[in-house]
């Protein structure tokens, strides 16, 4: 199921002229722990009941270790019956603007997908599946020297806008 979901994600990315994402074992571990936790604990969200965020989960795998810069994101979905097929789950993401934005983010290059039988409302629902997909991109090495720029007034200060639970950048 995980490889089917990955193929469908890459199919969507290719249709939009984007590079496919490749599997990463650290991101897979983060996804696996989150899908299992949501089913075992009976919640559905980017932040666990104990306050652990998707960034915390990804960081705990060592994914960002040694990276000069990084960007990560997370998409979650669960479904039962006919809504639990790989195609139905990826279609649900594509029909949701924030999830679609993650799935089609050009900067993402790696992915970890965990599809676990059961749902946050019933871990014994064998027709259901809960999926976490963790996205990432890292750069390594020395930073390039920056040229000094003319100082801008506060009115021209650049602001970063992001959706709280879907992606974040570091460093």
């Amino acid at each position: 199921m995980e490889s089917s979901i990955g193929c469908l994600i890459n199919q969507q990315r290719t249709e939009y002229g984007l590079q496919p994402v490749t599997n990463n074992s650290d991101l897979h571990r983060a996804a696996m722990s989150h899908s299992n936790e949501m089913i075992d604990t009976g919640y559905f969200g980017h932040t666990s009941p104990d306050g652990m965020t998707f960034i915390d989960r990804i960081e705990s795998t060592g994914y960002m270790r040694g990276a000069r810069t990084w960007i990560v994101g997370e998409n979650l979905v669960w479904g039962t019956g006919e809504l639990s097929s790989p195609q139905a789950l990826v279609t649900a993401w594509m029909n949701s603007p924030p999830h679609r934005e993650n799935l089609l983010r050009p900067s993402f290059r790696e992915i970890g997908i965990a599809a676990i039988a059961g749902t946050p409302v019933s871990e014994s629902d064998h027709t259901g599946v809960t999926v976490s997909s963790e996205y990432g991109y890292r750069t390594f090495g020395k930073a390039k020297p920056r040229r000094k720029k003319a100082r801008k007034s506060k009115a021209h200060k650049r602001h970063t806008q992001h959706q709280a639970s879907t992606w974040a950048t570091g460093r």
Side-chain angles (χ1 to χ4, degrees):
M1 177 164 248
E2 293 166 359
S3 64
S4 294
I5 291 169
C7 285
L8 291 167
I9 287 171
N10 280 331
Q11 179 182 358
Q12 290 294 324
R13 290 178 64 86
T14 301
E15 286 178 18
Y16 284 86
L18 302 172
Q19 290 184 349
V21 287
T22 59
N23 292 322
N24 176 278
S25 60
D26 291 334
L27 294 175
H28 180 258
R29 278 196 316 278
M32 186 68 76
S33 71
H34 193 50
S35 288
N36 279 317
E37 180 185 42
M38 287 189 294
I39 293 168
D40 294 345
T41 313
Y43 79 95
F44 185 73
H46 296 284
T47 302
S48 66
D50 67 1
M52 183 174 255
T53 67
F54 74 98
I55 297 169
D56 298 329
R57 279 189 297 282
I58 293 170
E59 189 170 32
S60 72
T61 68
Y63 181 75
M64 290 101 131
R65 190 174 305 124
R68 182 170 45 96
T69 62
W70 52 267
I71 180 170
V72 296
E74 174 176 80
N75 280 350
L76 307 175
V77 66
W78 68 269
T80 60
E82 63 189 37
L83 298 177
S84 66
S85 73
Q87 184 64 61
L89 298 168
V90 172
T91 297
W93 281 332
M94 290 300 289
N95 289 334
S96 165
H99 295 95
R100 178 188 178 104
E101 184 179 345
N102 264 352
L103 197 144
L104 298 177
R105 186 172 301 281
S107 56
F108 288 144
R109 297 288 190 270
E110 299 174 302
I111 194 167
I113 302 167
I116 307 297
T119 69
V121 296
S122 175
E123 68 180 289
S124 63
D125 181 353
H126 298 292
T127 69
V129 65
T130 300
V131 180
S132 297
S133 61
E134 312 295 336
Y135 297 85
Y137 174 73
R138 305 164 291 178
T139 61
F140 295 93
K142 293 181 180 180
K144 293 181 181 179
R146 293 184 182 179
R147 286 193 258 159
K148 288 191 175 187
K149 295 181 182 179
R151 194 172 180 160
K152 295 181 180 179
S153 70
K154 286 185 180 181
H156 295 286
K157 217 177 204 181
R158 202 168 156 237
H159 295 280
T160 302
Q161 189 174 28
H162 66 279
Q163 296 180 5
S165 302
T166 52
W167 65 277
T169 58
R171 297 210 185 185

